[in-house]
Amino acid sequence: QVQLVESGGGLVQAGDSLRLSCAASGRTFSNYAMGWFRQAPGKEREFVAAISRLGSLVYVTGSVKGRFTISRDNAKNTLYLQMNTLKPEDTAVYYCAAAGPKTNNYYYTRSHEYNYWGQGTQVTVSS
């Protein structure tokens, strides 16, 4: 089992920045590809960003490209999502997820490829 706990959400104004963290425990963190998803009220959960287990490959969805950065610190068992120039449409509950254990070093963009999920952290961006 892998336990994931997100933190860092909050209420900010448009144009502000936030950094989300996801603390992992229970298994060897570096064996898991990681991802961030979000779900806005009344909408389906959507992919935001993903990172390979060693951190060398990353991918972010088009709507946040150039504003959001995903990273990880395997020594600290922590995943990050740096969010800059936030917009009201970024308002959602943000979830981190783990896929694995993996022997490859790749990222995953579809929710069904992830087998562990955190409880989510709320991000609200006011205009």
Side-chain angles (χ1 to χ4, degrees):
Q1 289 283 355
V2 175
Q3 292 79 43
L4 302 172
V5 180
E6 302 95 335
S7 62
L11 171 63
V12 297
Q13 293 186 332
D16 286 350
S17 298
L18 277 176
R19 187 176 80 158
L20 305 184
S21 298
C22 173
S25 62
R27 290 290 185 268
T28 303
F29 183 61
S30 60
N31 287 343
Y32 291 79
M34 300 295 295
W36 287 100
F37 291 78
R38 66 185 181 185
Q39 187 167 20
K43 295 187 177 180
E44 292 187 355
R45 183 169 56 191
E46 65 172 350
F47 167 79
V48 176
I51 188 167
S52 63
R53 68 181 186 88
L54 299 181
S56 54
L57 296 177
V58 299
Y59 183 81
V60 295
T61 196
S63 61
V64 306
K65 191 168 293 184
R67 300 189 297 121
F68 289 14
T69 303
I70 186 171
S71 63
R72 65 189 296 162
D73 185 336
N74 285 347
K76 296 182 178 180
N77 294 343
T78 304
L79 174 73
Y80 302 100
L81 184 68
Q82 177 66 44
M83 306 186 295
N84 298 329
T85 318
L86 282 160
K87 303 176 180 180
E89 51 263 43
D90 295 320
T91 295
V93 177
Y94 284 71
Y95 299 91
C96 68
K102 300 292 185 182
T103 55
N104 62 38
N105 183 42
Y106 199 65
Y107 56 77
Y108 300 87
T109 62
R110 294 174 291 182
S111 59
H112 71 83
E113 295 173 308
Y114 289 84
N115 41 344
Y116 298 102
W117 293 83
Q119 83 290 345
T121 186
Q122 176 71 47
V123 172
T124 303
V125 185
S126 64
S127 57

